[in-house]
């Protein structure tokens, strides 16, 4: 389906150039709210067409830079909404810097990367945004926006323009975020480990180099890494034209940086001509040369396979050519045909060749396993052979030269993980029923993978644990004997961590399994920090388990687990509670009474030393979500309430709930307990106060009511 986002008016860019600048400077501040609404509408349309979401909107293709730059070619008129909103903000900043700061803060809290880009652009202006705030922005969501391709230009420009304004503390926080490297799940699984490591190094170097170029004194770890990466890659230099800040860079005839760069040599098409061509020494691919072998593999699958098979019969296996061919043949539209003709050739590979092509072969088998219409014995046999090869345990994925130490990410990118997933895919193509038991063709390799003496098989064990419920239901005896022991922290902490992270990758409640691993399930709370990002899934899973009536579990057992959770774990548990309460719909009062309240009384820890603003926000949401049980819910959580960082997360649902009119005293108590001196408050706070005072005018003289009203007026002069 083809579509294009356009404005109703034509030739907007050229028309705006004819409007005197002074007129725009006067008019734009008054149009800021309308422009913001129009831009959000435009991005929502892109989302409706599946071209945008909260993490990606690809607007950088149409407007590479929020600030003025020659790379903004003006080919797409819709981006004028972004440019006008930017100019409106600049005009507001001249007259009302505090309002401009609040707008930028609001932008960063809005969905879609375009608004994040606008906020980061605002932060790059002198004295526009406190450095601690924009560092918080960059580290938000596991530093997603520090590394996102959507925000690349604005982030790097911000480091270049404002890096020298960072305090020692903020610089250290930012350096720590950079040294961690980009999240692996931000990028395609198809990226090979060597390519991924080079990408991490390049991205890390670029951000450290941008900071260093502002004459800041980097910390020891950051400085040493920058020196190491610069020495190892002497061709890495900062661009004088800022092109290294852009995700895309276009040059054409007439542009000062335009030059012809690529010499193309096309690979032959006929198999008889390909054989001698493939025997020739391969020239190094570079910016100035490419031989179109990949394109030939894409368009002429049979010919390229025939040529490679001819060479294989002669004992010649050009690894680089095979790598590209297998990558191409792994693509969804080619995999079935490639498997039909290439399986016998791949099966004939010598062991040393298959080890050299381990990543490509295993990924090809994984893709084939899910695409073939039914179980394929040849594929299963090839997978079994692969597991006999001396594949190393290292995943090839590192961060700053160190192991990634993320079991799931390493497993899904390791050849053993690919093979395990291929076998699982094939197993699922059989008719599965409870108690059927595993066929030997699967039981044998799965049992082999469960051998903890083989470290390289841990990647396979991670994926088996991700599918433990299905395995448990089909073959409980095999699963108890071989797989469930991996979850035992007392037996082997490293294996238990890998097993739990595999299970928590996509956990589901299945009571018989939970009972079978109950001691390990409860003990996992004491190992929360070892789970990394999957600790959050564990806290949520444990919460939902405790909310469900379950024979075999006593509240006291869950109370032990929640008592062992750190503050971060309780925050995630509180988030799960809030989502459960808010999702209860018309049964909200019954859900509070029958699920949340017993949990709160019998399971939730009583040590208020664990309270935090983030937990307080989530507990306040629970009270709001309880509907007519709001007063009772508020009293239950009141001792845990603190001022929160983003009160609009509470004032918005409170305003919509009509609770301020039903329970004005309790609503005021919640607001006064959770709002102190935030950086920004939304208009919903005023709406809540108006509703409270309209129902109970006497509260207008209440000290807390007056404090909140004055706070709103200060933020909205």
């Amino acid at each position: 389906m083809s579509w294009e986002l356009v404005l109703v008016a034509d030739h907007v860019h050229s028309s705006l150039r004819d409007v005197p600048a002074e007129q725009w400077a006067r008019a734009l501040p008054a149009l800021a709210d309308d422009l913001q609404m129009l831009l959000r509408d435009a991005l929502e349309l892109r989302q409706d067409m599946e071209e945008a979401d909260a993490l990606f909107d690809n607007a950088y293709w149409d407007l590479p830079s929020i600030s003025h730059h020659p790379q903004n070619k003006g080919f797409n008129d819709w981006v004028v909404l972004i440019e006008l909103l930017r100019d409106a903000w600049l005009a507001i900043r001249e007259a009302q810097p505090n309002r401009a700061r609040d707008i930028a803060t609001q932008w960063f809290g809005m969905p879609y990367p375009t608004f994040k880009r606008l906020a980061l652009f605002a932060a790059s202006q002198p004295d526009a945004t406190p450095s601690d705030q924009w560092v918080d922005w960059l580290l938000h969501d596991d530093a997603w926006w520090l590394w996102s391709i959507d925000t690349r230009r604005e982030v790097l420009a911000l480091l270049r323009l404002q890096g020298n304004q960072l305090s020692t503390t903020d610089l250290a926080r930012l350096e720590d975020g950079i040294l961690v490297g980009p999240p692996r799940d931000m990028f395609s699984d198809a990226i090979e480990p060597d390519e991924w490591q080079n990408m991490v190094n390049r991205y890390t170097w670029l951000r450290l180099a941008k900071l260093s170029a502002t004459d800041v004194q980097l910390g020891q770890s950051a400085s040493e890494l920058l020196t190491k990466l610069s020495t190892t890659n002497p061709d890495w230099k900062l661009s004088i034209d800022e092109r290294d800040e852009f995700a895309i860079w276009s040059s054409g005839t007439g542009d000062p940086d335009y030059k012809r760069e690529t010499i193309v040599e096309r690979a032959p098409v006929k198999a008889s001509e390909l054989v001698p061509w493939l025997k020739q020494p391969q020239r190094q691919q570079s910016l100035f040369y490419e031989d179109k072998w990949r394109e030939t593999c894409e368009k002429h699958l049979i010919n390229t396979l025939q040529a490679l098979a001819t060479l294989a019969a002669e004992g010649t296996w050009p690894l680089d050519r095979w790598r590209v061919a297998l990558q191409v043949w792994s693509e969804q539209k080619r995999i079935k045909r490639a498997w039909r003709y290439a399986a016998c050739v791949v099966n004939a590979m010598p062991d040393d060749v298959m080890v050299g092509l381990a990543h490509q072969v295993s990924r090809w088998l994984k893709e084939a396993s899910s695409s073939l219409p039914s179980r394929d014995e040849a594929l299963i046999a090839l997978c079994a052979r692969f597991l006999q090869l001396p594949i190393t345990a290292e995943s090839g994925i590192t961060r700053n030269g160190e192991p990634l130490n993320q079991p799931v990410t390493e497993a899904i990118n390791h050849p053993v993980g690919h093979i395990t997933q291929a076998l699982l895919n094939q197993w699922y193509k059989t008719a599965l029923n409870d108690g059927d038991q595993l066929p030997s063709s699967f039981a044998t390799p799965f049992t082999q993978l469960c051998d903890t003496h083989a470290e390289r098989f841990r990647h396979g064990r991670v994926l088996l644990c991700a599918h433990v419920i299905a395995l448990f239901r089909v073959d409980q005896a095999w699963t108890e004997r071989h797989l469930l022991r991996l979850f035992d922290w007392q037996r082997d902490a490293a294996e238990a961590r890998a097993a739990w992270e595999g299970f928590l990758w996509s956990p589901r409640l299945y009571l018989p399994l939970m009972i079978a691993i109950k001691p390990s399930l409860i003990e996992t709370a004491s190992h929360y920090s070892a789970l990394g990002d999957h600790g959050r899934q564990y806290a949520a899973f444990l919460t939902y388990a405790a909310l469900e009536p379950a024979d075999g579990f006593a509240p006291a057992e869950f109370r032990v687990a929640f008592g062992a959770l750190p503050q971060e774990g309780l925050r995630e548990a509180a988030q799960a509670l809030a989502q459960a309460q808010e999702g209860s719909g018309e049964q909200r009062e019954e859900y509070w009474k029958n699920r949340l309240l017993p949990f709160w009384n019998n399971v939730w820890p009583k040590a208020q030393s664990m309270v935090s603003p983030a937990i307080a926000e989530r507990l306040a949401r629970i009270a709001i979500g309880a509907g007519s049980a709001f007063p009772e819910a508020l009293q239950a959580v009141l001792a845990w309430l603190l001022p929160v960082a983003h009160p609009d997360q509470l004032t918005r649902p409170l305003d919509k709930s009509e609770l301020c009119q039903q329970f004005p005293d309790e609503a005021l108590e919640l607001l006064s307990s959770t709002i102190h001196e935030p950086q920004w408050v939304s208009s919903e706070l005023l709406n809540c106060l108006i509703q409270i005072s309209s129902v109970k005018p006497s509260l207008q003289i209440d000290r807390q009511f007056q404090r909140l009203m004055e706070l709103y007026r200060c933020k909205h002069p």
Side-chain angles (χ1 to χ4, degrees):
M1 179 175 61
S2 178
W3 64 276
E4 182 180 0
L5 180 63
V6 298
L7 302 178
V8 174
D10 294 326
H11 312 298
V12 176
H13 276 102
S14 57
S15 300
L16 289 175
R17 283 195 291 269
D18 297 333
V19 179
E22 313 81 53
Q23 286 183 304
W24 271 122
R26 290 193 299 270
L28 279 173
L31 298 174
D33 289 342
D34 290 334
L35 290 168
Q36 179 173 301
M37 180 185 66
L38 289 171
L39 176 57
R40 183 158 183 170
D41 288 345
L43 293 170
E44 287 176 351
L45 284 173
R46 290 173 68 89
Q47 181 171 9
D48 290 342
M49 301 306 297
E50 299 183 354
E51 284 291 330
D53 58 29
L55 296 179
F56 302 97
D57 63 23
N58 294 322
Y60 67 88
W61 282 97
D62 296 341
L63 188 73
S65 175
I66 295 295
S67 60
H68 291 286
H69 196 279
Q71 282 296 298
N72 293 343
K73 305 296 185 181
F75 296 142
N76 297 278
D77 274 350
W78 80 269
V79 299
V80 77
L81 299 173
I82 305 174
E83 296 171 308
L84 288 176
L85 184 56
R86 172 203 65 201
D87 293 344
W89 182 87
L90 290 170
I92 291 170
R93 180 171 174 265
E94 289 293 324
Q96 298 175 285
N98 288 337
R99 181 189 171 198
R101 183 175 302 166
D102 290 343
I103 291 172
T105 301
Q106 181 185 10
W107 280 343
F108 194 83
M110 296 175 68
Y112 307 113
T114 293
F115 284 110
K116 305 291 192 296
R117 295 177 65 195
L118 283 162
L120 294 168
F121 161 78
S124 70
Q125 308 305 303
D127 302 319
T129 304
S131 61
D132 62 331
Q133 184 174 8
W134 63 257
V135 170
D136 285 344
W137 290 349
L138 295 184
L139 301 181
H140 185 66
D141 288 340
D142 294 328
W144 182 275
W145 305 111
L146 175 63
W147 305 101
S148 171
I149 191 172
D150 289 80
T151 55
R152 171 175 173 144
R153 159 63 173 172
E154 282 65 44
V155 166
L156 293 174
L158 175 58
L159 299 183
R160 170 170 51 83
L161 295 170
Q162 297 298 321
N164 58 3
Q165 301 300 313
L166 289 166
S167 67
T168 302
T169 300
D170 292 330
L171 177 61
R173 289 198 300 131
L174 181 55
E175 288 177 6
D176 288 343
I178 295 174
L179 293 178
V180 169
R184 182 63 183 87
D185 59 0
M186 180 181 285
F187 300 90
S188 169
D189 291 343
I191 298 175
E192 297 296 334
D194 291 345
E195 183 183 355
W196 166 248
Q197 186 57 53
N198 187 63
M199 183 186 298
V200 170
N201 290 341
R202 175 68 179 177
Y203 279 28
T204 302
W205 174 87
L206 183 56
R207 282 149 183 78
L208 292 177
K210 286 288 180 180
L211 279 174
S212 180
T214 65
D215 295 326
V216 301
Q217 185 65 42
L218 296 177
Q220 182 177 354
S221 297
S223 180
E224 290 177 353
L225 180 59
L226 178 59
T227 300
K228 175 184 176 182
L229 293 175
S230 299
T231 303
T232 307
N233 305 277
D235 56 325
W236 288 359
K237 306 291 183 185
L238 292 179
S239 302
I240 59 174
D241 56 4
E242 300 175 8
R243 72 167 58 200
D244 53 14
E245 296 179 1
F246 288 81
I248 54 173
W249 184 274
S250 61
S251 296
T253 53
D255 289 335
D257 61 340
Y258 175 75
K259 61 181 179 181
R260 294 185 180 273
E261 295 181 328
T262 304
I263 300 173
V264 177
E265 177 188 350
R266 296 195 177 275
V269 172
K270 295 181 179 179
S272 59
E273 296 174 355
L274 271 171
V275 171
W277 185 84
L278 289 169
K279 289 181 177 180
Q280 297 174 7
Q282 185 176 350
R283 292 178 61 176
Q284 183 65 40
Q285 298 285 312
S286 71
L287 186 65
F288 304 98
Y289 170 79
E290 58 178 309
D291 61 23
K292 295 297 182 179
W293 167 243
R294 176 179 291 273
E295 181 179 304
T296 303
C297 292
E298 292 171 347
K299 294 182 177 179
H300 306 283
L301 185 153
I302 299 299
N303 290 357
T304 53
L305 174 60
Q306 184 178 343
L308 289 171
T310 300
L311 291 177
E314 299 174 1
T316 302
W317 296 85
L319 295 188
D320 287 341
R321 299 303 190 185
W322 270 100
R323 286 192 181 95
V324 172
L326 287 167
Q327 288 171 1
V328 171
W329 298 342
S330 295
E331 294 172 2
Q332 191 67 33
K333 59 185 177 181
R334 298 182 180 89
I335 187 64
K336 291 182 181 179
R337 190 161 180 249
W339 173 256
R340 186 183 314 126
Y341 295 106
C344 58
V345 182
V346 174
N347 190 47
M349 278 184 180
D351 286 355
D352 61 331
V353 174
M354 192 171 288
V355 169
L357 297 170
H359 281 277
Q360 291 75 29
V361 171
S362 60
R363 185 178 294 279
W364 183 63
L365 291 172
K366 184 188 75 169
E367 296 302 325
S369 70
S370 60
S371 298
L372 297 178
S374 60
R375 173 174 161 178
D376 190 295
E377 295 299 334
L379 190 149
I380 297 170
L382 193 50
C383 288
R385 177 196 165 193
F386 195 98
L387 293 180
Q388 305 303 321
L389 298 177
I391 307 296
T392 61
E394 290 75 20
S395 68
I397 301 176
T398 61
R399 179 174 287 157
N400 301 328
E402 298 296 326
L404 190 63
N405 199 26
Q406 293 182 0
V408 171
T409 300
E410 292 175 348
I412 62 178
N413 288 282
H414 190 274
V416 171
H418 296 161
I419 295 301
T420 305
Q421 189 61 58
L423 288 168
L424 286 164
N425 291 342
Q426 286 287 288
W427 177 57
Y428 280 119
K429 290 183 184 295
T430 62
L432 302 183
N433 296 292
D434 288 358
D436 272 356
Q437 299 186 338
L438 283 170
S440 60
S441 56
F442 296 107
T444 299
F446 287 171
T447 301
Q448 183 181 358
L449 289 167
C450 289
D451 179 6
T452 56
H453 294 96
E455 185 179 357
R456 70 184 187 279
F457 289 158
R458 182 177 295 168
H459 303 295
R461 293 191 286 275
V462 169
L463 295 180
L464 290 178
C465 289
H467 296 264
V468 64
I469 293 178
L471 290 165
F472 185 86
R473 294 183 62 173
V474 170
D475 197 333
Q476 181 174 340
W478 181 91
T479 306
E480 290 177 340
R481 183 165 60 253
H482 296 287
L483 206 55
L484 297 193
R485 60 193 177 91
L486 302 176
F487 290 85
D488 186 352
W489 292 94
Q490 299 299 320
R491 183 178 177 277
D492 188 325
E495 289 291 343
R497 180 206 170 192
W500 278 106
E501 290 210 40
F503 173 72
L504 292 167
W505 182 20
S506 183
R508 289 184 293 116
L509 293 173
Y510 182 62
L511 184 58
L513 174 65
M514 292 170 56
I515 293 174
I517 58 173
K518 180 167 66 172
S520 299
L521 173 66
I522 301 301
E523 186 181 353
T524 300
S526 300
H527 299 270
Y528 182 90
S529 60
L531 298 176
D533 290 341
H534 287 98
R536 292 181 292 181
Q537 284 96 315
Y538 170 75
F541 177 79
L542 188 69
T543 302
Y544 287 118
L547 286 172
E548 292 291 329
D551 294 335
F553 282 87
E557 291 173 313
F558 283 117
R559 187 163 60 246
V560 169
F562 279 89
L565 287 176
Q567 189 178 73
E568 178 187 352
L570 285 181
R571 181 189 68 200
E572 297 303 325
Q575 173 72 5
L577 290 173
Q579 290 175 340
Q581 179 63 65
E582 291 168 346
S584 58
E586 296 180 357
Q587 306 299 317
R588 59 180 66 89
E589 290 84 5
E590 291 77 7
Y591 196 84
W592 161 257
K593 179 180 178 181
N594 298 322
R595 299 292 183 86
L596 268 293
L597 184 58
F599 174 92
W600 185 260
N601 290 334
N602 301 321
V603 176
W604 187 263
K606 299 303 182 282
Q608 292 183 21
S609 59
M610 301 297 286
V611 70
S612 72
I615 293 176
E617 177 191 306
R618 290 155 174 79
L619 296 181
R621 283 168 46 197
I622 292 173
I624 296 171
S628 61
F630 172 58
E632 178 186 7
L634 177 63
Q635 288 306 308
V637 303
L638 188 60
W640 282 70
L641 297 189
L642 292 174
V644 302
H646 302 287
D648 55 300
Q649 299 295 323
L650 302 179
T651 55
R652 187 175 298 115
L654 187 62
D655 176 28
K656 294 180 179 179
S657 68
E658 300 183 355
L659 292 174
C660 293
Q661 299 176 22
Q662 299 176 46
F663 309 105
D665 292 282
E666 289 80 1
L668 180 59
E669 188 170 23
L670 183 143
L671 292 171
S672 63
S673 298
T674 55
I675 301 177
H676 184 53
E677 285 290 341
Q679 292 184 339
W680 180 78
V681 291
S682 65
S683 59
E684 285 88 353
L685 173 60
L686 179 62
N687 295 343
C688 290
L689 294 174
I690 291 174
Q691 292 179 53
I692 289 170
S693 62
S694 66
V695 175
K696 194 171 182 179
S698 62
L699 287 177
Q700 295 182 45
I701 62 174
D702 183 276
R703 181 171 55 86
Q704 291 299 334
F705 183 97
Q706 293 179 345
R707 178 184 69 82
L708 292 171
M709 184 63 78
E710 182 61 27
L711 174 63
Y712 178 82
R713 290 168 178 161
C714 289
K715 298 297 181 180
H716 298 269

